[in-house]
PDB file of all heavy atoms in Angstrom:
ATOM      1  N   GLU A   1       7.956   7.305  -9.099  1.00 96.00           N
ATOM      2  CA  GLU A   1       8.116   5.793  -9.260  1.00 96.00           C
ATOM      3  C   GLU A   1       7.200   5.038  -8.291  1.00 96.00           C
ATOM      4  O   GLU A   1       6.833   3.864  -8.615  1.00 96.00           O
ATOM      5  CB  GLU A   1       9.581   5.476  -8.956  1.00 96.00           C
ATOM      6  CG  GLU A   1      10.497   6.043 -10.063  1.00 96.00           C
ATOM      7  CD  GLU A   1      11.952   5.648  -9.884  1.00 96.00           C
ATOM      8  OE1 GLU A   1      12.307   5.209  -8.816  1.00 96.00           O
ATOM      9  OE2 GLU A   1      12.716   5.743 -10.827  1.00 96.00           O
ATOM     10  N   GLU A   2       6.805   5.663  -7.183  1.00 96.00           N
ATOM     11  CA  GLU A   2       5.943   4.928  -6.188  1.00 96.00           C
ATOM     12  C   GLU A   2       4.480   5.110  -6.534  1.00 96.00           C
ATOM     13  O   GLU A   2       3.653   4.208  -6.182  1.00 96.00           O
ATOM     14  CB  GLU A   2       6.247   5.428  -4.810  1.00 96.00           C
ATOM     15  CG  GLU A   2       7.702   5.070  -4.361  1.00 96.00           C
ATOM     16  CD  GLU A   2       8.033   5.825  -3.080  1.00 96.00           C
ATOM     17  OE1 GLU A   2       7.108   6.384  -2.421  1.00 96.00           O
ATOM     18  OE2 GLU A   2       9.203   5.846  -2.687  1.00 96.00           O
ATOM     19  N   ILE A   3       4.087   6.218  -7.066  1.00 96.00           N
ATOM     20  CA  ILE A   3       2.609   6.494  -7.362  1.00 96.00           C
ATOM     21  C   ILE A   3       2.332   6.349  -8.821  1.00 96.00           C
ATOM     22  O   ILE A   3       1.443   5.609  -9.214  1.00 96.00           O
ATOM     23  CB  ILE A   3       2.284   7.889  -6.805  1.00 96.00           C
ATOM     24  CG1 ILE A   3       2.588   8.051  -5.349  1.00 96.00           C
ATOM     25  CG2 ILE A   3       0.759   8.163  -7.148  1.00 96.00           C
ATOM     26  CD1 ILE A   3       1.780   7.135  -4.442  1.00 96.00           C
ATOM     27  N   MET A   4       3.084   7.090  -9.644  1.00 97.00           N
ATOM     28  CA  MET A   4       2.739   7.117 -11.098  1.00 97.00           C
ATOM     29  C   MET A   4       3.065   5.849 -11.820  1.00 97.00           C
ATOM     30  O   MET A   4       2.278   5.323 -12.542  1.00 97.00           O
ATOM     31  CB  MET A   4       3.432   8.307 -11.735  1.00 97.00           C
ATOM     32  CG  MET A   4       2.985   9.631 -11.325  1.00 97.00           C
ATOM     33  SD  MET A   4       3.792  10.947 -12.266  1.00 97.00           S
ATOM     34  CE  MET A   4       3.342  10.538 -13.923  1.00 97.00           C
ATOM     35  N   LYS A   5       4.258   5.285 -11.569  1.00 98.00           N
ATOM     36  CA  LYS A   5       4.694   4.104 -12.333  1.00 98.00           C
ATOM     37  C   LYS A   5       3.758   2.909 -12.214  1.00 98.00           C
ATOM     38  O   LYS A   5       3.329   2.333 -13.196  1.00 98.00           O
ATOM     39  CB  LYS A   5       6.114   3.754 -11.848  1.00 98.00           C
ATOM     40  CG  LYS A   5       6.716   2.480 -12.569  1.00 98.00           C
ATOM     41  CD  LYS A   5       8.140   2.289 -12.125  1.00 98.00           C
ATOM     42  CE  LYS A   5       8.739   0.966 -12.672  1.00 98.00           C
ATOM     43  NZ  LYS A   5       8.135  -0.237 -11.920  1.00 98.00           N
ATOM     44  N   PRO A   6       3.300   2.577 -10.944  1.00 97.00           N
ATOM     45  CA  PRO A   6       2.396   1.399 -10.839  1.00 97.00           C
ATOM     46  C   PRO A   6       1.038   1.659 -11.571  1.00 97.00           C
ATOM     47  O   PRO A   6       0.500   0.734 -12.157  1.00 97.00           O
ATOM     48  CB  PRO A   6       2.182   1.273  -9.351  1.00 97.00           C
ATOM     49  CG  PRO A   6       3.375   1.857  -8.679  1.00 97.00           C
ATOM     50  CD  PRO A   6       3.777   3.050  -9.638  1.00 97.00           C
ATOM     51  N   ILE A   7       0.604   2.907 -11.514  1.00 98.00           N
ATOM     52  CA  ILE A   7      -0.700   3.237 -12.207  1.00 98.00           C
ATOM     53  C   ILE A   7      -0.502   3.058 -13.746  1.00 98.00           C
ATOM     54  O   ILE A   7      -1.298   2.466 -14.442  1.00 98.00           O
ATOM     55  CB  ILE A   7      -1.196   4.585 -11.847  1.00 98.00           C
ATOM     56  CG1 ILE A   7      -1.553   4.690 -10.382  1.00 98.00           C
ATOM     57  CG2 ILE A   7      -2.354   5.011 -12.715  1.00 98.00           C
ATOM     58  CD1 ILE A   7      -1.900   6.162  -9.932  1.00 98.00           C
ATOM     59  N   LEU A   8       0.607   3.653 -14.246  1.00 98.00           N
ATOM     60  CA  LEU A   8       0.850   3.547 -15.672  1.00 98.00           C
ATOM     61  C   LEU A   8       1.033   2.090 -16.169  1.00 98.00           C
ATOM     62  O   LEU A   8       0.613   1.765 -17.260  1.00 98.00           O
ATOM     63  CB  LEU A   8       2.081   4.406 -16.040  1.00 98.00           C
ATOM     64  CG  LEU A   8       1.918   5.912 -15.871  1.00 98.00           C
ATOM     65  CD1 LEU A   8       3.275   6.607 -16.012  1.00 98.00           C
ATOM     66  CD2 LEU A   8       0.921   6.474 -16.872  1.00 98.00           C
ATOM     67  N   GLU A   9       1.691   1.321 -15.316  1.00 97.00           N
ATOM     68  CA  GLU A   9       1.973  -0.085 -15.740  1.00 97.00           C
ATOM     69  C   GLU A   9       0.703  -0.957 -15.697  1.00 97.00           C
ATOM     70  O   GLU A   9       0.825  -2.101 -16.088  1.00 97.00           O
ATOM     71  CB  GLU A   9       3.123  -0.657 -14.858  1.00 97.00           C
ATOM     72  CG  GLU A   9       4.461   0.036 -15.246  1.00 97.00           C
ATOM     73  CD  GLU A   9       5.619  -0.581 -14.581  1.00 97.00           C
ATOM     74  OE1 GLU A   9       5.436  -1.299 -13.541  1.00 97.00           O
ATOM     75  OE2 GLU A   9       6.805  -0.353 -15.028  1.00 97.00           O
ATOM     76  N   ARG A  10      -0.386  -0.465 -15.139  1.00 96.00           N
ATOM     77  CA  ARG A  10      -1.616  -1.193 -15.198  1.00 96.00           C
ATOM     78  C   ARG A  10      -2.081  -1.390 -16.709  1.00 96.00           C
ATOM     79  O   ARG A  10      -2.887  -2.256 -17.017  1.00 96.00           O
ATOM     80  CB  ARG A  10      -2.759  -0.503 -14.454  1.00 96.00           C
ATOM     81  CG  ARG A  10      -2.577  -0.465 -12.932  1.00 96.00           C
ATOM     82  CD  ARG A  10      -3.684   0.329 -12.342  1.00 96.00           C
ATOM     83  NE  ARG A  10      -3.367   0.651 -10.926  1.00 96.00           N
ATOM     84  CZ  ARG A  10      -4.058   1.578 -10.231  1.00 96.00           C
ATOM     85  NH1 ARG A  10      -5.001   2.274 -10.827  1.00 96.00           N
ATOM     86  NH2 ARG A  10      -3.677   1.823  -8.971  1.00 96.00           N
ATOM     87  N   SER A  11      -1.518  -0.577 -17.527  1.00 96.00           N
ATOM     88  CA  SER A  11      -1.822  -0.659 -18.973  1.00 96.00           C
ATOM     89  C   SER A  11      -1.210  -1.938 -19.652  1.00 96.00           C
ATOM     90  O   SER A  11      -1.547  -2.320 -20.717  1.00 96.00           O
ATOM     91  CB  SER A  11      -1.288   0.591 -19.662  1.00 96.00           C
ATOM     92  OG  SER A  11       0.158   0.568 -19.626  1.00 96.00           O
ATOM     93  N   GLY A  12      -0.310  -2.609 -18.870  1.00 96.00           N
ATOM     94  CA  GLY A  12       0.360  -3.736 -19.461  1.00 96.00           C
ATOM     95  C   GLY A  12       1.746  -3.370 -20.004  1.00 96.00           C
ATOM     96  O   GLY A  12       2.563  -4.256 -20.345  1.00 96.00           O
ATOM     97  N   LEU A  13       1.992  -2.061 -20.179  1.00 97.00           N
ATOM     98  CA  LEU A  13       3.323  -1.555 -20.634  1.00 97.00           C
ATOM     99  C   LEU A  13       4.193  -1.318 -19.443  1.00 97.00           C
ATOM    100  O   LEU A  13       3.763  -1.067 -18.272  1.00 97.00           O
ATOM    101  CB  LEU A  13       3.088  -0.284 -21.393  1.00 97.00           C
ATOM    102  CG  LEU A  13       2.114  -0.348 -22.622  1.00 97.00           C
ATOM    103  CD1 LEU A  13       2.027   1.049 -23.245  1.00 97.00           C
ATOM    104  CD2 LEU A  13       2.622  -1.349 -23.574  1.00 97.00           C
ATOM    105  N   ARG A  14       5.512  -1.423 -19.735  1.00 96.00           N
ATOM    106  CA  ARG A  14       6.520  -1.251 -18.636  1.00 96.00           C
ATOM    107  C   ARG A  14       7.384  -0.001 -18.828  1.00 96.00           C
ATOM    108  O   ARG A  14       7.884   0.162 -19.949  1.00 96.00           O
ATOM    109  CB  ARG A  14       7.428  -2.537 -18.599  1.00 96.00           C
ATOM    110  CG  ARG A  14       6.682  -3.796 -18.154  1.00 96.00           C
ATOM    111  CD  ARG A  14       6.221  -3.692 -16.688  1.00 96.00           C
ATOM    112  NE  ARG A  14       5.357  -4.798 -16.265  1.00 96.00           N
ATOM    113  CZ  ARG A  14       4.059  -4.743 -16.157  1.00 96.00           C
ATOM    114  NH1 ARG A  14       3.412  -3.661 -16.527  1.00 96.00           N
ATOM    115  NH2 ARG A  14       3.330  -5.789 -15.780  1.00 96.00           N
ATOM    116  N   ALA A  15       7.578   0.670 -17.737  1.00 96.00           N
ATOM    117  CA  ALA A  15       8.429   1.869 -17.750  1.00 96.00           C
ATOM    118  C   ALA A  15       9.848   1.431 -18.059  1.00 96.00           C
ATOM    119  O   ALA A  15      10.350   0.451 -17.401  1.00 96.00           O
ATOM    120  CB  ALA A  15       8.397   2.620 -16.456  1.00 96.00           C
ATOM    121  N   GLY A  16      10.555   2.099 -18.933  1.00 93.00           N
ATOM    122  CA  GLY A  16      11.886   1.770 -19.315  1.00 93.00           C
ATOM    123  C   GLY A  16      11.988   0.645 -20.365  1.00 93.00           C
ATOM    124  O   GLY A  16      13.086   0.454 -20.960  1.00 93.00           O
ATOM    125  N   GLN A  17      10.847   0.035 -20.696  1.00 93.00           N
ATOM    126  CA  GLN A  17      10.873  -0.980 -21.759  1.00 93.00           C
ATOM    127  C   GLN A  17       9.848  -0.515 -22.891  1.00 93.00           C
ATOM    128  O   GLN A  17      10.212  -0.568 -24.032  1.00 93.00           O
ATOM    129  CB  GLN A  17      10.321  -2.373 -21.223  1.00 93.00           C
ATOM    130  CG  GLN A  17      11.272  -2.943 -20.123  1.00 93.00           C
ATOM    131  CD  GLN A  17      10.723  -4.287 -19.608  1.00 93.00           C
ATOM    132  OE1 GLN A  17       9.957  -4.896 -20.318  1.00 93.00           O
ATOM    133  NE2 GLN A  17      11.150  -4.656 -18.432  1.00 93.00           N
ATOM    134  N   ASP A  18       8.684  -0.112 -22.463  1.00 95.00           N
ATOM    135  CA  ASP A  18       7.688   0.329 -23.489  1.00 95.00           C
ATOM    136  C   ASP A  18       7.403   1.809 -23.527  1.00 95.00           C
ATOM    137  O   ASP A  18       6.887   2.232 -24.497  1.00 95.00           O
ATOM    138  CB  ASP A  18       6.358  -0.441 -23.192  1.00 95.00           C
ATOM    139  CG  ASP A  18       6.596  -1.916 -23.081  1.00 95.00           C
ATOM    140  OD1 ASP A  18       7.089  -2.518 -24.053  1.00 95.00           O
ATOM    141  OD2 ASP A  18       6.243  -2.557 -22.080  1.00 95.00           O
ATOM    142  N   PHE A  19       7.674   2.513 -22.442  1.00 96.00           N
ATOM    143  CA  PHE A  19       7.486   3.943 -22.404  1.00 96.00           C
ATOM    144  C   PHE A  19       8.555   4.589 -21.539  1.00 96.00           C
ATOM    145  O   PHE A  19       9.172   3.860 -20.710  1.00 96.00           O
ATOM    146  CB  PHE A  19       6.074   4.353 -21.954  1.00 96.00           C
ATOM    147  CG  PHE A  19       5.773   3.959 -20.544  1.00 96.00           C
ATOM    148  CD1 PHE A  19       5.991   4.861 -19.485  1.00 96.00           C
ATOM    149  CD2 PHE A  19       5.214   2.720 -20.204  1.00 96.00           C
ATOM    150  CE1 PHE A  19       5.674   4.572 -18.192  1.00 96.00           C
ATOM    151  CE2 PHE A  19       4.877   2.407 -18.859  1.00 96.00           C
ATOM    152  CZ  PHE A  19       5.160   3.313 -17.875  1.00 96.00           C
ATOM    153  N   TYR A  20       8.773   5.867 -21.702  1.00 97.00           N
ATOM    154  CA  TYR A  20       9.741   6.565 -20.977  1.00 97.00           C
ATOM    155  C   TYR A  20       9.022   7.336 -19.777  1.00 97.00           C
ATOM    156  O   TYR A  20       7.935   7.814 -19.970  1.00 97.00           O
ATOM    157  CB  TYR A  20      10.481   7.579 -21.845  1.00 97.00           C
ATOM    158  CG  TYR A  20      11.090   7.002 -23.080  1.00 97.00           C
ATOM    159  CD1 TYR A  20      10.442   7.132 -24.332  1.00 97.00           C
ATOM    160  CD2 TYR A  20      12.300   6.332 -23.027  1.00 97.00           C
ATOM    161  CE1 TYR A  20      10.986   6.619 -25.498  1.00 97.00           C
ATOM    162  CE2 TYR A  20      12.827   5.764 -24.158  1.00 97.00           C
ATOM    163  CZ  TYR A  20      12.199   5.912 -25.437  1.00 97.00           C
ATOM    164  OH  TYR A  20      12.714   5.409 -26.525  1.00 97.00           O
ATOM    165  N   LEU A  21       9.697   7.420 -18.689  1.00 98.00           N
ATOM    166  CA  LEU A  21       9.160   8.113 -17.462  1.00 98.00           C
ATOM    167  C   LEU A  21      10.188   9.005 -16.806  1.00 98.00           C
ATOM    168  O   LEU A  21      11.309   8.500 -16.588  1.00 98.00           O
ATOM    169  CB  LEU A  21       8.649   7.013 -16.491  1.00 98.00           C
ATOM    170  CG  LEU A  21       7.945   7.521 -15.171  1.00 98.00           C
ATOM    171  CD1 LEU A  21       6.711   8.331 -15.500  1.00 98.00           C
ATOM    172  CD2 LEU A  21       7.605   6.328 -14.294  1.00 98.00           C
ATOM    173  N   ALA A  22       9.816  10.257 -16.505  1.00 98.00           N
ATOM    174  CA  ALA A  22      10.803  11.195 -15.911  1.00 98.00           C
ATOM    175  C   ALA A  22      10.096  12.155 -15.021  1.00 98.00           C
ATOM    176  O   ALA A  22       8.837  12.304 -15.011  1.00 98.00           O
ATOM    177  CB  ALA A  22      11.495  11.971 -17.088  1.00 98.00           C
ATOM    178  N   HIS A  23      10.954  12.754 -14.257  1.00 98.00           N
ATOM    179  CA  HIS A  23      10.465  13.936 -13.402  1.00 98.00           C
ATOM    180  C   HIS A  23      11.359  15.125 -13.666  1.00 98.00           C
ATOM    181  O   HIS A  23      12.604  14.977 -13.614  1.00 98.00           O
ATOM    182  CB  HIS A  23      10.529  13.603 -11.892  1.00 98.00           C
ATOM    183  CG  HIS A  23       9.943  14.702 -11.060  1.00 98.00           C
ATOM    184  ND1 HIS A  23       8.652  14.923 -10.900  1.00 98.00           N
ATOM    185  CD2 HIS A  23      10.592  15.682 -10.407  1.00 98.00           C
ATOM    186  CE1 HIS A  23       8.409  15.996 -10.098  1.00 98.00           C
ATOM    187  NE2 HIS A  23       9.630  16.463  -9.779  1.00 98.00           N
ATOM    188  N   SER A  24      10.764  16.272 -13.942  1.00 97.00           N
ATOM    189  CA  SER A  24      11.555  17.473 -14.143  1.00 97.00           C
ATOM    190  C   SER A  24      10.803  18.623 -13.430  1.00 97.00           C
ATOM    191  O   SER A  24       9.834  19.222 -13.995  1.00 97.00           O
ATOM    192  CB  SER A  24      11.678  17.735 -15.711  1.00 97.00           C
ATOM    193  OG  SER A  24      12.488  18.961 -15.812  1.00 97.00           O
ATOM    194  N   PRO A  25      11.179  18.946 -12.234  1.00 95.00           N
ATOM    195  CA  PRO A  25      10.389  19.920 -11.459  1.00 95.00           C
ATOM    196  C   PRO A  25      10.325  21.291 -12.021  1.00 95.00           C
ATOM    197  O   PRO A  25      11.331  21.764 -12.471  1.00 95.00           O
ATOM    198  CB  PRO A  25      11.057  19.867 -10.074  1.00 95.00           C
ATOM    199  CG  PRO A  25      12.494  19.443 -10.416  1.00 95.00           C
ATOM    200  CD  PRO A  25      12.397  18.484 -11.550  1.00 95.00           C
ATOM    201  N   GLU A  26       9.151  21.880 -12.001  1.00 92.00           N
ATOM    202  CA  GLU A  26       9.013  23.297 -12.475  1.00 92.00           C
ATOM    203  C   GLU A  26       9.799  24.175 -11.526  1.00 92.00           C
ATOM    204  O   GLU A  26       9.955  23.943 -10.374  1.00 92.00           O
ATOM    205  CB  GLU A  26       7.527  23.647 -12.496  1.00 92.00           C
ATOM    206  CG  GLU A  26       6.804  23.524 -11.181  1.00 92.00           C
ATOM    207  CD  GLU A  26       6.840  24.819 -10.319  1.00 92.00           C
ATOM    208  OE1 GLU A  26       7.445  25.795 -10.758  1.00 92.00           O
ATOM    209  OE2 GLU A  26       6.262  24.717  -9.223  1.00 92.00           O
ATOM    210  N   ARG A  27      10.248  25.242 -12.158  1.00 90.00           N
ATOM    211  CA  ARG A  27      11.018  26.307 -11.373  1.00 90.00           C
ATOM    212  C   ARG A  27      10.436  27.654 -11.765  1.00 90.00           C
ATOM    213  O   ARG A  27      11.193  28.630 -12.082  1.00 90.00           O
ATOM    214  CB  ARG A  27      12.495  26.257 -11.674  1.00 90.00           C
ATOM    215  CG  ARG A  27      13.234  25.198 -10.873  1.00 90.00           C
ATOM    216  CD  ARG A  27      14.730  25.148 -11.288  1.00 90.00           C
ATOM    217  NE  ARG A  27      15.558  24.492 -10.323  1.00 90.00           N
ATOM    218  CZ  ARG A  27      16.845  24.180 -10.517  1.00 90.00           C
ATOM    219  NH1 ARG A  27      17.396  24.533 -11.658  1.00 90.00           N
ATOM    220  NH2 ARG A  27      17.504  23.614  -9.552  1.00 90.00           N
ATOM    221  N   VAL A  28       9.129  27.766 -11.772  1.00 82.00           N
ATOM    222  CA  VAL A  28       8.498  29.034 -12.157  1.00 82.00           C
ATOM    223  C   VAL A  28       8.482  30.032 -11.049  1.00 82.00           C
ATOM    224  O   VAL A  28       8.110  29.731  -9.901  1.00 82.00           O
ATOM    225  CB  VAL A  28       7.062  28.776 -12.610  1.00 82.00           C
ATOM    226  CG1 VAL A  28       6.305  30.084 -12.893  1.00 82.00           C
ATOM    227  CG2 VAL A  28       7.079  27.926 -13.925  1.00 82.00           C
ATOM    228  N   ASP A  29       8.894  31.261 -11.273  1.00 83.00           N
ATOM    229  CA  ASP A  29       8.881  32.335 -10.255  1.00 83.00           C
ATOM    230  C   ASP A  29       7.946  33.416 -10.855  1.00 83.00           C
ATOM    231  O   ASP A  29       8.420  34.292 -11.565  1.00 83.00           O
ATOM    232  CB  ASP A  29      10.266  32.896 -10.011  1.00 83.00           C
ATOM    233  CG  ASP A  29      10.266  33.933  -8.947  1.00 83.00           C
ATOM    234  OD1 ASP A  29       9.311  34.042  -8.220  1.00 83.00           O
ATOM    235  OD2 ASP A  29      11.247  34.686  -8.762  1.00 83.00           O
ATOM    236  N   PRO A  30       6.692  33.337 -10.587  1.00 79.00           N
ATOM    237  CA  PRO A  30       5.747  34.247 -11.160  1.00 79.00           C
ATOM    238  C   PRO A  30       6.160  35.754 -11.001  1.00 79.00           C
ATOM    239  O   PRO A  30       6.516  36.170  -9.899  1.00 79.00           O
ATOM    240  CB  PRO A  30       4.420  34.020 -10.476  1.00 79.00           C
ATOM    241  CG  PRO A  30       4.518  32.555 -10.030  1.00 79.00           C
ATOM    242  CD  PRO A  30       5.955  32.395  -9.678  1.00 79.00           C
ATOM    243  N   GLY A  31       6.136  36.493 -12.085  1.00 80.00           N
ATOM    244  CA  GLY A  31       6.446  37.897 -12.045  1.00 80.00           C
ATOM    245  C   GLY A  31       7.882  38.192 -12.125  1.00 80.00           C
ATOM    246  O   GLY A  31       8.350  39.400 -12.245  1.00 80.00           O
ATOM    247  N   ASN A  32       8.774  37.191 -12.237  1.00 80.00           N
ATOM    248  CA  ASN A  32      10.238  37.423 -12.355  1.00 80.00           C
ATOM    249  C   ASN A  32      10.553  37.958 -13.761  1.00 80.00           C
ATOM    250  O   ASN A  32      10.246  37.265 -14.759  1.00 80.00           O
ATOM    251  CB  ASN A  32      10.961  36.140 -12.077  1.00 80.00           C
ATOM    252  CG  ASN A  32      12.480  36.360 -11.857  1.00 80.00           C
ATOM    253  OD1 ASN A  32      13.103  37.055 -12.653  1.00 80.00           O
ATOM    254  ND2 ASN A  32      13.031  35.749 -10.830  1.00 80.00           N
ATOM    255  N   LYS A  33      11.104  39.124 -13.829  1.00 81.00           N
ATOM    256  CA  LYS A  33      11.400  39.746 -15.149  1.00 81.00           C
ATOM    257  C   LYS A  33      12.706  39.263 -15.759  1.00 81.00           C
ATOM    258  O   LYS A  33      12.969  39.433 -16.955  1.00 81.00           O
ATOM    259  CB  LYS A  33      11.443  41.278 -14.991  1.00 81.00           C
ATOM    260  CG  LYS A  33      10.153  41.896 -14.392  1.00 81.00           C
ATOM    261  CD  LYS A  33       8.953  41.569 -15.230  1.00 81.00           C
ATOM    262  CE  LYS A  33       7.731  42.220 -14.618  1.00 81.00           C
ATOM    263  NZ  LYS A  33       6.494  41.811 -15.364  1.00 81.00           N
TER     264      LYS A  33
END
């Protein structure tokens, strides 16, 4: 919200009104069987 949202909204579109914005952190454990 502090870094990405302002950059995206330079397009003139608004998060939550014109496009959707989310964070879903990766949980990859390389080599986990």
Side-chain angles (χ1 to χ4, degrees):
E1 295 184 342
E2 296 170 10
I3 302 297
M4 290 183 61
K5 179 175 173 286
I7 295 174
L8 293 170
E9 290 186 340
R10 292 176 194 164
S11 65
L13 303 178
R14 293 290 174 264
Q17 298 178 24
D18 304 305
F19 65 92
Y20 306 101
L21 181 62
H23 183 81
S24 183
E26 59 89 2
R27 279 176 161 173
V28 173
D29 183 16
N32 193 314
K33 303 302 182 185

